[in-house]
Amino acid sequence: MKQEIKDIIYINELLEFYGILLTKKQQDIMRDYYLYNLSFSEISLNHKISKAAVGDTIEKSIKKLNFYENNLQYHQIFQDIKKNADENKLKIIAEIEEEFKHGI
């Protein structure tokens, strides 16, 4: 599964917003792949599942994350706010982003 850096960043951002809505297993596998940069082989060994199951879980998780974003649009709203924010608001936004990182 070869991905562009911008796609990896986007998935990580979606995980910050919606990761809590994934199952524990999906969260763990997505964290291993997107945050810790583990290979399918490493993840399959750690979770005692096949590499195909890892790929399926990642694919299904991405679909779920995109579904949530398409319907709720929290990520897009947050990006729009950041684009139009002044320096003081950017500090507050950075604090909120830090809080989201602790959510997953």
Side-chain angles (χ1 to χ4, degrees), residues 92-104:
I92 294 168
I93 289 169
E95 291 173 12
I96 292 169
E97 284 179 323
E98 192 61 32
E99 291 295 322
F100 268 116
K101 288 180 184 172
H102 298 297
I104 188 169

Side-chain angles (χ1 to χ4, degrees), residues 53-70:
V54 171
D56 288 344
T57 301
I58 290 171
E59 186 178 321
K60 287 177 184 175
S61 298
I62 291 171
K63 283 182 182 179
K64 272 188 173 181
L65 294 172
N66 283 318
F67 172 81
Y68 295 133
E69 177 58 18
N70 289 336

Side-chain angles (χ1 to χ4, degrees), residues 43-54:
I43 296 168
S44 70
L45 287 173
N46 292 344
H47 293 275
K48 296 177 177 53
I49 59 175
S50 69
K51 289 189 282 187
V54 171

Side-chain angles (χ1 to χ4, degrees), residues 81-96:
I81 291 169
K82 281 174 54 174
K83 239 186 273 184
N84 299 314
D86 62 29
E87 190 172 321
N88 288 333
K89 289 179 185 170
L90 287 174
K91 288 179 186 176
I92 294 168
I93 289 169
E95 291 173 12
I96 292 169

Side-chain angles (χ1 to χ4, degrees), residues 33 72 85 91:
Y33 188 71
L72 301 172
K91 288 179 186 176

